[in-house]
Amino acid sequence: MRLRELLDDTELGLLLLVGHDDHSSADGPLDRAISAVATNDLADPGRFLTGGELVLTGLAWWRADGDAESFVRVLRRAGVTALAAGEVEHGLVPHDLVRACRRHGVPLIAVRPETSFAAVTERVLRRLHRREPGGPAGPASMASTASVASLASLAALVERHRRLLADRAAPDSVLELLRHTLGLDVRVLSATGRQIAGARPPLPAKTAAALAARHLAARRAGGTAPHTVTVGARLYSLVPVPVPVPGPGLPRQAAELGDWLLVMESDTALWPAPDRELLDRTAELVADARSAHEQSKTARNDLADRSLSLLHDNSVPAEEIPIRLRSTAQAVVSGVGYWPRCQFVVASGERHGAGPVPAAALRVLLEEALVQEDGPVPVSSEDIAATVDGDRAVLLVLVPEPSDTRPDPALDHAALQRRLSAALARWLGPEDSVSIGVSSPVAEPGNARRSLEQAHNALRIAHAAPERVTVRGPEDLTSHILTLLPLIPAEARRAFAARLLGPLRDHDARHRTDLLATLEAFLDCDASWTACAARLHLHVNSLRQRIARIEHLTDRDLSRLETRLDFLAALKSG
């Protein structure tokens, strides 16, 4: 395929910026042949180029003038046919790149934002791997519609994409390439039916969940992959993605629930050998993406592990907790020099007559429930750090900062409960149960220990609920106390309030202070130093001095949830 043929495709709307024909030459830049397509966003792409390629780049490597010189020099030495640059990243093709391409004689094409790289790739491949006439285009009949040589070339192209995309862990472009080239929709699902990558729109939720359940059943039965199953009168092939080496002692259920699988509506057992080779290459690509995902998750989970150990260490003075948490976040999550706004999620479960549900399995299920597109809070898997604490799963979920559209973004307990109920239904027995406690958002590291305690106490309230899957939060603790108050005789409630609040009332009367009002505001702000200081128009240090005075007068520790609940009950009673 010649470069001018690609530019003549009006549907793509490509714009030639550098390389217009020199009419004094019979063989101008636009007559150069395209022999392959390479998608590359590495600063030094040379090791992946062999010559004759149309190089597609999203310009993620370009940050400032001067960056383009070395990139284009490598392209010229490799003998590429042309460079096609997307306008999405920077809104246009940088002049720095235009100048570099002119200096080195590399044709440069602008790809408008509405044109996908997959569409450009598909146009080139249709010419490079033109199918023979006659016969259907489906994969099952591929032997009659394409030569083995063409399929081998396509498999080599997928392998090249696999190498190029391994660092970015982005299989979607190759799955899109397969869809355009073979007419085959391929999706990557998790073991709970969540779509990780692949064709859009996703499968209906019930179909995806059924396919995931059939995969787990076939896996447990020891069946030979790929598995062929029928759901809703449609036949699907399920191809497990090769798994990274699991961690030591990882429970079987946790390993199963972490599975990825390729799903396609076709019987791959009937495919000719070249097609199956192409499928194997695709599975290897997705395995690369999965491995990169697992490595990234390991680093994030290390943040949860270190933070939990620090919060459990009572030998660490309270004033050192914020400093150490910030340094931990900075050491584990590159470029983060602060404690990110997050919520603690703590979960445990019981199997009827069989002991606790493995905490590692609960951790996986919680992550799956949280990252659903319509899940309980808009977060991705990169926003979750998870670990286990005995028979409990503990997650730190990074939640968005408040905004005009979301004044106080936090986990939706009802949505989380629905998602978990659906995910657990396939493998929990009718008398098994799972309980989850959620903290308030932790805006600053000084509140982390209090919030973790809050999540554990919410978990205790959840244990008392009759539902199979129960999610409880801080507001449930308050309502639980307030529900019990009317059951206590009025005289006893008044005596309790007088004993607990009396010292504060006396101090306020003698010294004209506002300790009682400060306490009420502090509890109303859920013990958040910053929120309470803002409400009272105080500096945080001034607020800390008032709270210290309250603790001294009452001989109570307001960092403890039990103390705060006692004060809340006293204020409601007195």
Side-chain angles (χ1 to χ4, degrees), residues 451-470:
S451 293
L452 179 60
E453 179 190 10
Q454 191 179 66
H456 280 291
N457 280 286
L459 178 63
R460 295 189 189 103
I461 300 296
H463 277 311
E467 297 91 352
R468 274 179 77 201
V469 179
T470 308

Side-chain angles (χ1 to χ4, degrees), residues 103-417:
R103 281 195 298 271
H104 294 286
V106 175
L108 174 63
I109 298 167
V111 183
R112 58 187 181 179
E114 57 268 30
T115 300
S116 70
F117 282 2
V120 177
T121 302
E122 184 265 339
R123 294 298 199 282
V124 175
L125 289 178
R126 282 188 184 275
R127 296 297 302 271
L128 295 181
H129 310 288
R130 191 185 299 275
R131 297 180 179 182
E132 297 176 1
S141 59
M142 186 59 69
S144 64
T145 58
S147 67
V148 171
S150 292
L151 284 167
S153 298
L154 181 57
L157 182 63
V158 171
E159 171 62 17
R160 180 180 299 167
H161 271 71
R162 187 188 73 80
R163 294 197 306 269
L164 292 178
L165 295 173
D167 291 339
R168 301 178 65 195
D172 278 291
S173 63
V174 171
L175 298 181
E176 181 72 4
L177 172 69
L178 292 179
R179 187 177 75 84
H180 282 285
T181 306
L182 303 181
L184 177 67
D185 282 343
V186 182
R187 295 176 173 87
V188 183
L189 300 186
S190 73
T192 66
R194 176 177 61 89
Q195 180 156 323
I196 297 168
R200 296 285 175 172
L203 292 169
K206 289 185 177 179
T207 301
L211 289 170
R214 298 289 292 275
H215 159 73
L216 283 178
R219 188 189 200 277
R220 292 169 180 174
T224 303
H227 312 302
T228 304
V229 302
T230 301
V231 175
R234 293 179 179 270
L235 186 144
Y236 296 88
S237 287
L238 311 178
V239 180
V241 174
V243 62
V245 178
L250 188 67
R252 176 183 60 82
Q253 288 170 330
E256 290 174 352
L257 292 168
D259 276 353
W260 287 16
L261 62 148
L262 297 177
V263 174
M264 59 223 77
E265 192 176 340
S266 176
D267 187 351
T268 58
L270 303 178
W271 289 11
D275 289 9
R276 291 198 298 272
E277 178 187 354
L278 186 60
L279 181 62
D280 290 342
R281 297 289 181 87
T282 303
E284 291 172 6
L285 165 71
V286 179
D288 286 345
R290 180 178 180 182
S291 179
H293 170 79
E294 294 296 332
Q295 290 173 10
S296 175
K297 188 165 69 172
T298 297
R300 293 192 304 275
N301 291 350
D302 189 34
L303 171 62
D305 211 22
R306 293 194 197 184
S307 300
L308 193 65
S309 296
L310 179 59
L311 294 174
H312 282 336
D313 188 351
N314 292 323
S315 66
V316 179
E319 61 272 16
E320 288 188 21
I321 292 290
I323 299 170
R324 294 200 186 185
L325 285 176
R326 284 193 182 95
S327 63
T328 297
Q330 190 171 22
V332 175
V333 184
S334 177
V336 175
Y338 58 91
W339 178 255
R341 186 175 187 268
C342 66
Q343 286 181 266
F344 284 101
V345 179
V346 182
S348 66
E350 288 292 331
R351 284 192 175 279
H352 184 64
V357 175
L362 274 180
R363 182 185 67 189
V364 174
L365 280 168
L366 280 167
E367 292 181 69
E368 284 289 307
L370 287 167
V371 299
Q372 296 284 347
E373 290 185 357
D374 57 345
V377 72
V379 296
S380 68
S381 58
E382 285 73 28
D383 298 320
I384 300 172
T387 186
V388 297
D389 184 12
D391 61 355
R392 296 181 176 185
V394 180
L395 277 66
L396 278 73
V397 182
L398 277 61
V399 292
E401 293 291 337
S403 65
D404 292 338
T405 56
R406 292 179 64 92
D408 189 21
L411 295 177
D412 181 335
H413 299 172
L416 179 57
Q417 186 161 321

